[in-house]
Amino acid sequence: MGVGTHADVRVMVDLLRSIERYLSSVSDARVRPVVLLVEDNPSMRALIRSLVESTSSVVEECAAGEAAVDLYPRLRPDWVLMDLKLGGMDGISATRAIRQLDPSARVLIVTEQDNEHFRRAAEEAGAVGYLLKQDLLVQQTAPGSFHKTEDGL
């Protein structure tokens, strides 16, 4: 998803607002969560960060799965927003590694990949949700997707 036209920017702003609403709906409103943002597209990462900062106490970001796995033990974020397609270690492998470090880690996949194979792999790796960037724009998830956290939120 590139940034360039006015329409592209509007789509990204809508996406960011949707992510903010989702995080607000599943987080304790009294506590501002710590978020680890894993996104390889610098423009998308900057936009997501700008939104998430308003609802989080700390936002750390990285562009690769390996970096996310390295940062996780030091940061201990409340949420990890993980893209799937990353340079080096992909989002599925990084999710699996993070969940091995901390079985209670909440990794939310935020991706453009509308593919049953990826959904199944994300769930098996321990992701607590799988949200399509396109579906966030219309406030719904694709049929058969899992989108609730393990504790039912």
Side-chain angles (χ1 to χ4, degrees):
M1 181 182 277
V3 176
T5 68
H6 183 66
D8 290 337
V9 172
R10 193 171 336 122
V11 166
M12 285 194 191
V13 168
D14 289 345
L15 169 64
L16 295 173
R17 287 184 181 140
S18 297
I19 290 171
E20 179 183 35
R21 283 190 296 270
Y22 181 82
L23 286 177
S24 295
S25 73
V26 296
S27 297
D28 185 339
R30 296 166 291 159
V31 179
R32 291 170 47 112
V34 174
V35 174
L36 175 56
L37 171 59
V38 189
E39 169 65 58
D40 63 336
N41 179 314
S43 298
M44 178 63 77
R45 191 171 60 243
L47 285 169
I48 293 172
R49 180 185 180 90
S50 71
L51 175 72
V52 175
E53 278 181 325
S54 70
T55 60
S56 304
S57 60
V58 174
V59 179
E60 272 300 320
E61 61 183 64
C62 59
E66 295 90 344
V69 174
D70 289 343
L71 273 171
Y72 187 87
R74 290 188 304 257
L75 186 62
R76 290 292 181 186
D78 298 298
W79 286 96
V80 179
L81 303 181
M82 179 79 69
D83 193 12
L84 288 180
K85 292 202 170 186
L86 303 166
M89 179 186 283
D90 63 54
I92 299 294
S93 299
T95 297
R96 185 175 295 110
I98 288 170
R99 291 284 299 202
Q100 287 174 347
L101 292 171
D102 179 3
S104 66
R106 294 188 290 181
V107 180
L108 176 64
I109 303 297
V110 181
T111 184
E112 295 176 353
Q113 304 304 313
D114 187 6
N115 177 298
E116 187 57 36
H117 167 76
F118 285 128
R119 289 173 188 279
R120 197 170 22 260
E123 188 171 18
E124 289 170 2
V128 297
Y130 190 100
L131 299 175
L132 293 175
K133 292 174 182 176
Q134 354 9 338
D135 288 343
L136 285 173
L137 299 175
V138 293
Q139 293 298 297
Q140 56 183 290
T141 55
S145 68
F146 63 102
H147 59 276
K148 291 190 176 185
T149 62
E150 291 174 335
D151 53 5
L153 297 175

